[in-house]
Amino acid sequence: MSKKTQIGEGAMVEYVTAMIGGQLFGLPISRVQDVFMPERVTRVPLSSHEIAGVLNLRGRIVTVVDMRARLGLPRDDDGKTPMAVGVDLRGESYGLLIDQIGEVLRLPEDGKEENPVNLDPRMAKLAGGVHRLEGQLMVVLDVDRVLELKTEVQMAA
């Protein structure tokens, strides 16, 4: 599902990087529709705490998912305006609320590893693997898992 490019011997995969709670995450660029600053998010009564609300983005109703809440992290009260990464799942639009957007990284597909056993379980349940970069670990977000788990939480409530 990720955008792949043949270069020399191995395929390359592109990721949009994002910071959430000081951790670097990567979203496959093929899943990212847009990046935006969420404005006028309307809270949805009785929704799970992971749903920040909904907003109108160029005529589309977008469900905004608070990724800090999804990962069990405390709210960020540093006053910075959060960003959102727009993704789709089965025709529905979602905005994943993140702390900061990064750059697009092109990494070798064969450099992606399984989740390490010592990866925080809150991250592991949403991760589709990791890439070891210079001095840090980039957790690859599995967009389907991020959004499917939300559905399970709502169904269990």
Side-chain angles (χ1 to χ4, degrees), residues 70-71 115-127 149:
R70 292 290 291 120
L71 291 164
N115 292 340
V117 293
N118 61 348
L119 184 64
D120 186 314
R122 298 172 297 183
M123 289 184 198
K125 70 180 181 185
L126 303 177
L149 285 172

Side-chain angles (χ1 to χ4, degrees), residues 8-71:
E9 303 254 329
M12 301 293 281
V13 183
E14 293 181 307
Y15 297 96
V16 174
T17 61
M19 292 296 286
I20 306 169
Q23 174 62 50
L24 180 67
F25 288 89
L27 291 99
I29 200 166
S30 62
R31 297 300 305 269
V32 174
Q33 304 296 317
D34 44 27
V35 175
F36 58 95
M37 295 182 77
E39 295 179 20
R40 297 193 338 210
V41 176
T42 304
R43 185 85 177 118
V44 178
L46 304 176
S47 66
S48 111
H49 75 286
E50 298 171 349
I51 305 299
V54 295
L55 58 80
N56 184 329
L57 181 66
R58 294 184 291 276
R60 290 182 317 191
I61 299 299
V62 176
T63 302
V64 181
V65 179
D66 184 342
M67 287 304 296
R68 280 182 161 271
R70 292 290 291 120
L71 291 164

Side-chain angles (χ1 to χ4, degrees), residues 90-110:
R90 292 191 286 281
E92 294 292 323
S93 297
Y94 297 89
L96 306 180
L97 214 52
I98 59 171
D99 297 340
Q100 184 180 343
I101 194 73
E103 58 190 338
V104 173
L105 290 181
R106 295 183 72 208
L107 300 171
E109 185 175 37
D110 59 4

